[in-house]
Amino acid sequence: PTTSIGNANNDEESAVAGNHSNLDEETGEAGGSAVKLDATRRDDEVEREEETAQAGGGGSPCNRGCCSFWAMSVTALLASALGLYANVLFLDHAPLLERSDTASDIAGVTCERLSFPVRLSPVTPVSYPVGGELCYAGESVRVDQIVQVLVSGAGYGPVYWNPSFQPDTYSYVAAVSGSYPTFNYARPGVAESGRPFGLKTDVDVQAFVLAQVIVHLNGHLGRPADDDGVMVVGHSMGSLITQAHALAYPGTTRGAILTGYLHSVNPNNGKEARENSGFAMVDEKFAGRIFDFTYLTSTGVEGRRQFYSGGDNTDPAMISWDDKTKETLTLGDVFTLGSYRATGNESKALLVPTLVVSGDEDVINCPSPVVDCTDAEAVQQFETQFYPPDCAEVLLVPDTGHDLNFHRNAMETFASILEWSLRVVGNNSTEDARRCVPDREDTGAAVLPGKIPLDRSEGVSPSLIGGLLLTFALILPLLGWATYW
């Protein structure tokens, strides 16, 4: 049987060969071309199989398309990382904006322009300039004179404390200058100070900056670096920064004044704030000068009007001027605006006397489901429970919104703040400082000077947020390539 099969195969091959010969004879060159093309195709198939085996490492299912996908994905990943790094590096060294439009002709008051280098953390080598004004009555600041350091809120700068618009009516610096020198500085990211990438800043970082500002200020005044001849006065987010600083650096200040602040929160404010905010890079005032998408600002006059009362205590011309001199806030700031407010436990550890000031129409704090903001006694009882015993007082200002300094009754508010300051803190640093005693020993500040008090905050660390955004920025191109392939 084997021989028969072999003979049969031979016969078939002979027949095929004969047929090919006949075909070649009949078709000539056309038949020869077909045979050559068939052989070429077989050679190409063999070549592709060999290349696939080599690329797959001997039997791997990977083919050239798969490998190209990974190569392009890795390229996109590296390009995204380098692009993001270059972008952050560029944004982190953006040119400074113009100085704040502060009053410069207050009778009997001298103002010096100062600038100090600060870092955003103890470990970073990069420093940023922080500019401000030291204003005082007389020829100079006495060595034993307590200085008030002024910290503005989100979207505001030094103009909040010393506006050039009707300073006799609205300037806190002018109102207290007879008793206290003031240092009114621009936080990093605001006005003439350095503008870091917006995810590098938050409430706790700003508290670390404030600590450095006080050290530099003491040096400028010829005092020891750790001299405690300072009070800190904050507004809104500046009040959060003031509180964070007092907790992280106990013994470096003699008093804290928290304005535009309560432990109550208006649950409807978030929606209104979002509707009246936008990116600074496309805002009419900052377009062409700010390119960092992490910087925000209010949009139009309505974005500022929400911070005022609706009655006769508000001057429309002031609102218009406020909008023209508005400043920015960063995403890092926004992520931590709930710090030192939501739980209330942090403020129970404060070691310095504290004055809390709020308008009864403050859109940030009121109306609130936890306290009636129109009842001064109720607000006093509610707010003081969040501080050490006999260590805090509350001032509720009638017919006044969030921007206490920009209402027509501002001078009356300033007089009340000044009265508390002189009565409780004094203005002579040679006198013994009054310290508060917290209820529990374990509520004391656990952060040593020189460290960022991230664990004291209810907010989110900017390093965490930055890391998450960086991760997404690197993963998105990879997902894009995966979707394409």
Side-chain angles (χ1 to χ4, degrees), residues 156-471:
Y156 285 86
V159 295
Y160 181 77
W161 302 105
N162 188 27
S164 61
F165 180 81
Q166 299 181 14
D168 292 340
T169 303
Y170 300 109
S171 174
Y172 178 86
V173 170
V176 303
S177 60
S179 300
Y180 290 98
T182 57
F183 183 63
N184 183 17
Y185 76 98
R187 294 176 288 101
V190 171
E192 65 265 41
S193 291
R195 193 166 66 251
F197 184 54
L199 290 174
K200 288 186 174 183
T201 67
D202 71 356
V203 169
D204 292 312
V205 170
Q206 296 285 1
F208 179 65
V209 169
L210 174 56
Q212 297 170 76
V213 167
I214 292 175
V215 170
H216 285 301
L217 181 61
N218 283 334
H220 177 78
L221 296 175
R223 303 174 177 180
D226 59 351
D227 191 274
D228 68 348
V230 168
M231 291 175 61
V232 182
V233 188
H235 174 252
S236 193
M237 190 184 81
S239 294
L240 303 179
I241 296 169
T242 299
Q243 188 178 159
H245 173 268
L247 290 167
Y249 306 93
T252 61
T253 62
R254 292 192 169 223
I257 300 176
L258 314 178
T259 72
Y261 174 85
L262 286 174
H263 278 83
S264 65
V265 177
N266 177 2
N268 299 318
N269 176 249
K271 179 176 181 294
E272 188 171 359
R274 289 191 297 272
E275 291 175 349
N276 292 286
S277 300
F279 293 104
M281 62 189 298
V282 296
D283 185 82
E284 182 180 18
K285 178 179 179 180
F286 302 107
R289 295 186 297 165
I290 292 182
F291 303 96
D292 189 340
F293 67 93
T294 63
Y295 276 73
L296 310 174
T297 190
S298 59
T299 54
V301 175
E302 290 302 318
R304 310 304 269 190
R305 193 187 306 278
Q306 62 178 319
F307 301 130
Y308 293 79
S309 67
D312 295 336
N313 198 24
T314 296
D315 182 357
M318 182 67 206
I319 301 178
S320 178
W321 184 87
D322 181 14
D323 178 57
K324 293 178 182 178
T325 58
K326 66 183 179 182
E327 291 290 350
T328 59
L329 69 157
T330 69
L331 284 179
D333 296 334
V334 172
F335 291 141
T336 53
L337 284 179
S339 321
Y340 305 97
R341 182 195 294 267
T343 65
N345 293 328
E346 299 94 346
S347 55
K348 293 181 179 180
L350 286 170
L351 302 180
V352 294
T354 304
L355 175 66
V356 182
V357 186
S358 175
D360 62 352
E361 298 181 30
D362 189 320
V363 69
I364 306 295
N365 307 323
C366 308
S368 168
V370 297
V371 64
D372 180 5
C373 291
T374 63
D375 187 338
E377 185 176 346
V379 173
Q380 170 82 18
Q381 185 176 359
F382 166 80
E383 185 66 19
T384 53
Q385 67 178 314
F386 297 103
Y387 301 86
D390 303 320
C391 201
E393 294 183 26
V394 180
L395 173 63
L396 187 67
V397 185
D399 303 321
T400 303
H402 186 62
D403 285 354
L404 297 115
N405 293 16
F406 289 171
H407 286 71
R408 287 182 166 130
N409 63 345
M411 283 296 166
E412 298 175 21
T413 303
F414 300 157
S416 298
I417 293 174
L418 181 59
E419 186 277 330
W420 178 89
S421 301
L422 293 172
R423 171 172 51 86
V424 176
V425 180
N427 61 356
N428 191 328
S429 62
T430 60
E431 298 175 355
D432 293 337
R434 177 185 170 187
R435 300 300 181 194
C436 302
V437 181
D439 271 338
R440 303 191 311 273
E441 293 182 359
D442 59 351
T443 59
V447 182
L448 298 176
K451 302 295 182 181
I452 301 177
L454 291 176
D455 62 334
R456 306 295 301 176
S457 171
E458 292 297 319
V460 183
S461 166
S463 58
L464 174 61
I465 295 295
L468 290 175
L469 289 180
L470 177 63
T471 301

Side-chain angles (χ1 to χ4, degrees), residues 4-230:
S4 299
I5 294 174
N7 292 335
N9 289 338
N10 291 335
D11 292 341
E12 291 176 2
E13 291 175 358
S14 299
V16 170
N19 290 337
H20 277 297
S21 299
N22 294 335
L23 183 63
D24 289 341
E25 293 175 359
E26 294 175 359
T27 61
E29 294 181 1
S33 299
V35 173
K36 293 178 182 179
L37 180 62
D38 188 52
T40 301
R41 288 176 177 172
R42 287 198 301 270
D43 292 340
D44 289 343
E45 290 175 359
V46 172
E47 183 179 352
R48 282 197 298 269
E49 290 175 356
E50 292 176 352
E51 290 177 353
T52 300
Q54 293 175 358
S60 170
C62 182
N63 54 37
R64 272 201 293 184
C66 176
C67 295
S68 298
F69 158 71
W70 285 111
M72 285 186 283
S73 297
V74 171
T75 302
L77 194 70
L78 293 176
S80 298
L82 291 174
L84 185 62
Y85 176 77
N87 187 45
V88 170
L89 193 64
F90 167 73
L91 296 177
D92 212 30
H93 294 80
L96 307 183
L97 300 180
E98 71 277 1
R99 56 160 291 186
S100 299
D101 187 15
T102 53
S104 58
D105 55 352
I106 303 174
V109 176
T110 301
C111 291
E112 299 179 25
R113 302 291 304 174
L114 303 177
S115 181
F116 305 129
V118 300
R119 295 178 296 156
L120 302 185
S121 80
V123 297
T124 178
V126 181
S127 63
Y128 304 87
V130 165
E133 284 184 328
L134 176 64
C135 296
Y136 50 87
E139 296 181 358
S140 62
V141 180
R142 301 194 315 270
V143 175
D144 62 351
Q145 199 169 10
I146 292 178
V147 179
Q148 290 192 354
V149 178
L150 312 179
V151 190
S152 61
Y156 285 86
V159 295
Y160 181 77
W161 302 105
N162 188 27
S164 61
F165 180 81
Q166 299 181 14
D168 292 340
T169 303
Y170 300 109
S171 174
Y172 178 86
V173 170
V176 303
S177 60
S179 300
Y180 290 98
T182 57
F183 183 63
N184 183 17
Y185 76 98
R187 294 176 288 101
V190 171
E192 65 265 41
S193 291
R195 193 166 66 251
F197 184 54
L199 290 174
K200 288 186 174 183
T201 67
D202 71 356
V203 169
D204 292 312
V205 170
Q206 296 285 1
F208 179 65
V209 169
L210 174 56
Q212 297 170 76
V213 167
I214 292 175
V215 170
H216 285 301
L217 181 61
N218 283 334
H220 177 78
L221 296 175
R223 303 174 177 180
D226 59 351
D227 191 274
D228 68 348
V230 168

